[in-house]
Amino acid sequence: MKKILILTLFCLPFLFLDAHSQLVQAVVSIGGRVYNITNNQPLSVNIEIFDQNGQRINKIKSNATDGSYFITGLKPGSTYEIRFSDFDYMKYSYSIQIPATDKYLEYSRDFLIIPKKTQTKILIPVKLFETNKSKLKYGVDIFLADYINLLKLNPTVKIKIVSFPDDNTNPQENLALTQQRSSSLKDYFVSNGIDAQRISVEGNESTDPDNPPPTGRASKGKRYIGSTYLIIEGF
Amino acid sequence: MMFFGEYIMYKKRRIIYLVLLMICSNFVISYAQVVNYKMRIIGKHNDEALAVFINKDNTMMATGGQDETIKLWSLPDGKELKTLVGHLGAVYNVSFSGNDRLLASGSEDQTVRIWDVTSGVEMKVMLGHTGPVIGVYFDQDNDPSLVASTSFDKTVKLWDIATGTEVKTLRGHTAPTNNVAYSYDGKTIASASDDSTVRIWSTDLKKDAPLMVLRGHRAPVLTVLYSFDNNLLASSDANGEVIIWDANNGGILRKFKAHNDLVQDVSFASDNKTLVTGSLDKHVKLWDITGPDLLMDMDIGVGVWSVDIVSDGNIIAIACEDGTIRLLSKGAEPVKKGKK
């Protein structure tokens, strides 16, 4: 009896310490919405979470009604990869580094997913060029990294880069400028490991009918730079 | 004895003098209405100037422009200090942190960026919005940790500036969100939207739903701002109307037609009752919102995108459609009041 009592007393502090360490082990979560890039409609897609050793630790599906998802149980100080691998959509991945913390943390992230469908048109949301220039602007790398990642994760996908001019003054010059713009972007992708055979380029003589230059009062003092699109040509 | 012709000439001269006297007196009256603020252009962006924000100790202001740059200016002299380059789209909004050390900017390029004010170095580029970022507002705490942003993607996001990550996305607006403001006690944020509402949100990261939805505008709400005592909220819309709300219960205290075109920006002076408004109707107006009484009305001659005012109301900074940054400095003469 005495031995049991001594053993219990000996074990108690360890039990307490273990419980305490579980209490201070913070949990990190990430949640957000998944949308179709072409129409901003919510999507129900498979989402897999991998740890830094490449081990899948969770698999969920985003909600069909609002596209919401919620992943919990992530450990502070770790890096995770969130992968979208639905058959009908292009593969996509997002890496998140969780800072070391002893507090409950919740991150937020919305995703735009591209349908696996030929002629899907993806508007690059930032202006990659200066007015009437064909050289990529300094600082575009952070925006283009996502597209390079996308092309690497979907190695059979072929794309066409389509650029539009900034005005309608000279069709011939516009065509030359925009072909050069598309080629500059292609060269950037190729220099970042994308096979040149997968990318075709196209220029245009006149401005983008889907995103035209502002007119009337709205145009006063506004700089307008033609749009650039990636169009899915095949898989 | 005067001939008839001479008499007519004499009368004519008197009429001319009288007319001249009337013109002069009218000029003096109208001059008196605006004389208390004198305008000067201190510099220019290479395209439309869209945003202006004065720091807490009134020694510096930041402006953002369609030319994709941010400029820092000293106050009260208005000297251009630095140009911050990095955004790849128009800079729609800027905000100093509560300790004046950091600056947040929101842009057409869908990013929120954090800058070190002293060095001008870009510290963080935060990607996450899926549309242009229209509003940014720094947590006004002396040790700031969060920045709020609004976007054409209809969301309000909170960003942790230490890690550069999104910590909260607030959803509920049914149209693009235009501007956002942090309360000075750090407990709530207010967002303005094209859906004609103002929504109040808790900064408690565990709470998702809006605390209040304020309805009263009949047009897209373009901006919203807390008074320094956190008791009032001012919002303005695309019809030129301004609403003063009780920030504690969401009740409308005042509603008035301030301008004849959209009012993109408003700002409180530290007395919590003086409000400056700027509009595309080319006017900057100063209001005592307890009336509301119109304290000053100045025709700038160009559309105004953004206004801010130093704490004591002596300087008003404006960002204009033609790219100019202007300072209105208070003169010596008394303010002529007029009931609206």
Side-chain angles (χ1 to χ4, degrees):
Chain A
M1 188 65 188
K2 202 176 177 182
K3 274 185 179 173
I4 292 169
L5 195 67
I6 290 166
L7 199 67
T8 310
L9 282 172
F10 180 75
C11 288
L12 259 177
F14 290 101
L15 283 170
F16 176 77
L17 270 177
D18 189 47
H20 182 69
S21 70
Q22 277 179 14
L23 275 175
V24 297
Q25 177 68 62
V27 173
V28 179
S29 307
I30 181 166
R33 303 274 170 103
V34 186
Y35 299 106
N36 183 327
I37 200 170
T38 58
N39 56 17
N40 272 320
Q41 290 303 304
L43 281 183
S44 175
V45 290
N46 291 315
I47 305 171
E48 296 172 291
I49 301 95
F50 292 83
D51 67 14
Q52 50 213 13
N53 302 317
Q55 187 127 18
R56 193 173 82 179
I57 58 159
N58 205 344
K59 187 183 177 185
I60 58 165
K61 202 170 176 82
S62 56
N63 186 298
T65 314
D66 58 9
S68 63
Y69 72 92
F70 189 75
I71 303 159
T72 193
L74 307 178
K75 290 177 190 159
S78 305
T79 301
Y80 294 93
E81 196 186 348
I82 299 171
R83 286 188 205 165
F84 296 80
S85 49
D86 223 87
F87 181 76
D88 295 329
Y89 297 92
M90 294 198 21
K91 286 180 185 165
Y92 180 75
S93 83
Y94 172 72
S95 179
I96 182 165
Q97 194 172 4
I98 312 289
T101 178
D102 57 357
K103 285 185 277 186
Y104 172 78
L105 271 180
E106 201 177 301
Y107 287 114
S108 171
R109 186 81 190 184
D110 294 345
F111 295 102
L112 297 172
I113 304 299
I114 303 166
K116 207 189 265 182
K117 202 171 158 189
T118 51
Q119 297 310 308
T120 296
K121 207 171 161 185
I122 307 155
L123 170 68
I124 296 181
V126 294
K127 302 301 178 195
L128 301 175
F129 308 96
E130 297 285 0
T131 312
N132 291 320
K133 296 275 181 354
S134 60
K135 188 184 165 194
L136 286 170
K137 281 204 278 192
Y138 176 78
V140 296
D141 312 54
I142 55 161
F143 299 98
L144 295 178
D146 232 21
Y147 299 104
I148 291 166
N149 183 26
L150 189 82
L151 289 168
K152 284 182 177 171
L153 283 169
N154 299 271
T156 59
V157 168
K158 290 184 174 163
I159 59 161
K160 179 163 73 179
I161 300 169
V162 180
S163 299
F164 286 91
D166 309 331
D167 55 50
N168 287 314
T169 50
N170 188 326
Q172 286 314 307
E173 280 180 16
N174 281 347
L175 184 63
L177 171 78
T178 52
Q179 279 173 338
Q180 190 52 48
R181 280 183 175 177
S182 295
S183 297
S184 295
L185 185 54
K186 177 181 175 176
D187 292 346
Y188 182 82
F189 285 148
V190 171
S191 68
N192 279 279
I194 308 300
D195 181 1
Q197 301 302 313
R198 296 172 60 196
I199 308 170
S200 60
V201 295
E202 186 180 294
N204 281 282
E205 293 180 348
S206 53
T207 52
D208 181 8
D210 294 334
N211 287 291
T215 52
R217 184 179 172 179
S219 67
K220 196 173 146 251
K222 290 262 183 1
R223 290 195 305 171
Y224 172 82
I225 294 159
S227 325
T228 308
Y229 293 91
L230 303 184
I231 296 177
I232 310 294
E233 294 263 89
F235 302 97
Chain B
M1 182 153 175
M2 221 182 272
F3 289 108
F4 182 70
E6 280 176 320
Y7 176 74
I8 293 293
M9 283 299 288
Y10 169 75
K11 277 283 182 195
K12 250 187 180 174
R13 219 176 287 150
R14 283 196 65 176
I15 290 166
I16 290 166
Y17 288 149
L18 202 68
V19 169
L20 280 172
L21 191 70
M22 281 168 71
I23 289 170
C24 287
S25 60
N26 263 338
F27 175 75
V28 167
I29 290 166
S30 61
Y31 186 61
Q33 282 180 328
V34 297
V35 73
N36 56 307
Y37 281 93
K38 286 175 188 165
M39 182 172 72
R40 66 191 168 109
I41 296 172
I42 58 163
K44 200 174 182 303
H45 278 267
N46 288 329
D47 211 323
E48 293 188 64
L50 303 171
V52 59
F53 197 102
I54 295 173
N55 71 351
K56 206 172 184 177
D57 65 7
N58 303 309
T59 55
M60 194 186 278
M61 65 174 186
T63 58
Q66 187 87 27
D67 63 1
E68 306 179 358
T69 69
I70 298 160
K71 288 181 186 287
L72 298 178
W73 312 79
S74 64
L75 282 177
D77 53 338
K79 194 179 153 200
E80 188 177 328
L81 302 171
K82 278 188 188 79
T83 299
L84 312 181
V85 182
H87 276 296
L88 295 176
V91 180
Y92 288 129
N93 219 321
V94 288
S95 168
F96 280 103
S97 60
N99 60 10
D100 288 345
R101 287 184 197 147
L102 301 171
L103 183 81
S105 56
S107 164
E108 185 187 14
D109 69 12
Q110 306 189 349
T111 65
V112 174
R113 298 184 193 224
I114 306 295
W115 310 79
D116 180 279
V117 172
T118 313
S119 64
V121 168
E122 183 183 273
M123 296 174 70
K124 287 273 183 317
V125 182
M126 303 190 290
L127 276 161
H129 274 296
T130 55
V133 180
I134 305 301
V136 284
Y137 213 99
F138 238 114
D139 162 6
Q140 290 301 298
D141 195 86
N142 269 334
D143 185 17
S145 58
L146 298 172
V147 167
S149 62
T150 44
S151 161
F152 277 4
D153 68 12
K154 304 178 194 172
T155 67
V156 180
K157 287 184 189 287
L158 282 172
W159 305 82
D160 180 333
I161 54 166
T163 59
T165 49
E166 280 174 67
V167 287
K168 198 81 197 164
T169 299
L170 302 165
R171 298 170 210 273
H173 281 296
T174 56
T177 48
N178 290 316
N179 221 329
V180 65
Y182 236 99
S183 65
Y184 289 88
D185 60 11
K187 289 179 183 166
T188 56
I189 52 175
S191 56
S193 165
D194 273 3
D195 67 12
S196 302
T197 68
V198 170
R199 287 171 200 246
I200 312 297
W201 314 82
S202 170
T203 52
D204 180 343
L205 298 179
K206 294 184 189 80
K207 290 181 181 165
D208 285 330
L211 301 173
M212 284 187 275
V213 180
L214 311 185
R215 296 175 205 278
H217 284 284
R218 289 166 294 179
V221 191
L222 303 175
T223 197
V224 63
L225 188 70
Y226 282 90
S227 60
F228 287 91
D229 61 6
N230 302 307
N231 287 328
L232 304 173
L233 267 171
S235 59
S236 66
D237 70 27
N239 281 349
E241 286 197 325
V242 169
I243 297 183
I244 308 297
W245 312 82
D246 183 326
N248 301 307
N249 60 26
I252 295 178
L253 301 174
R254 305 276 183 279
K255 182 175 179 176
F256 54 99
K257 176 88 172 165
H259 290 268
N260 294 320
D261 204 334
L262 60 85
V263 181
Q264 186 68 39
D265 207 5
V266 301
S267 186
F268 274 105
S270 62
D271 63 5
N272 299 309
K273 65 174 189 170
T274 306
L275 186 81
V276 63
T277 57
S279 167
L280 286 190
D281 72 1
K282 305 178 182 176
H283 284 251
V284 169
K285 296 182 183 182
L286 198 66
W287 306 86
D288 177 343
I289 55 165
T290 54
D293 295 329
L294 180 61
L295 303 175
M296 184 274 283
D297 177 1
M298 186 183 274
D299 185 350
I300 301 300
V302 63
V304 176
W305 278 124
S306 186
V307 289
D308 204 355
I309 187 166
V310 298
S311 308
D312 62 7
N314 281 336
I315 299 172
I316 296 169
I318 53 177
C320 302
E321 248 186 338
D322 64 355
T324 55
I325 305 299
R326 303 172 189 222
L327 291 184
L328 311 185
S329 304
K330 208 172 197 175
E333 288 168 50
V335 173
K336 182 181 170 67
K337 279 195 175 190
K339 184 84 179 167
K340 186 185 153 52

